[in-house]
Amino acid sequence: MKITGLDQLSKQMKQLEKFTKEIDGSIGEVSFNPFDAESIEHAIVEMENLIDQKSESYLSNSLIVEIVENLKETYRQSIIDKASAVRVNADEDTLE
């Protein structure tokens, strides 16, 4: 029995290790106005672009492509959650 594909898997794993080191810490910073939907959307797009820039060398690696999509969704949700939290706090402050 011959196992094939291990060279490709090994290459993908090395790329994955390199990619995770590159994004360890900070991918980048974005700022936005939590009261402005367009500003929030712009921050999401900007963050996705930063992630794309970090991953552009690895687009042929399906493992990294999947991680990139998950990162984008995680950061998207984080931006939305932060904006929502600021708006809720602002609403609570006006009620007092």
Side-chain angles (χ1 to χ4, degrees):
M1 178 163 95
K2 182 178 180 182
I3 299 174
T4 59
L6 290 180
D7 289 339
Q8 179 65 22
L9 180 60
S10 177
K11 179 181 174 185
Q12 285 184 322
M13 295 304 288
K14 286 178 185 175
Q15 287 176 336
L16 180 59
E17 180 181 5
K18 185 178 177 189
F19 176 67
T20 55
K21 285 180 182 176
E22 289 175 10
I23 63 169
D24 186 32
S26 176
I27 292 177
E29 292 184 23
V30 296
S31 58
F32 57 93
N33 178 345
F35 300 97
D36 180 3
E38 188 174 317
S39 177
I40 295 167
E41 185 59 33
H42 183 267
I44 291 168
V45 170
E46 193 175 337
M47 180 53 72
E48 288 178 349
N49 288 337
L50 288 169
I51 294 169
D52 286 341
Q53 288 171 8
K54 295 274 188 181
S55 66
E56 65 188 359
S57 300
Y58 308 103
L59 295 178
S60 63
N61 187 322
S62 60
L63 299 172
I64 294 174
V65 169
E66 187 174 332
I67 289 170
V68 164
E69 291 308 311
N70 288 332
L71 279 173
K72 287 180 180 181
E73 182 55 36
T74 298
Y75 278 103
R76 178 185 198 289
Q77 192 59 53
S78 177
I79 291 169
I80 291 169
D81 291 347
K82 287 178 183 179
S84 178
V86 169
R87 289 192 308 270
V88 167
N89 287 337
D91 287 345
E92 289 174 358
D93 289 345
T94 58
L95 294 175
E96 293 177 359

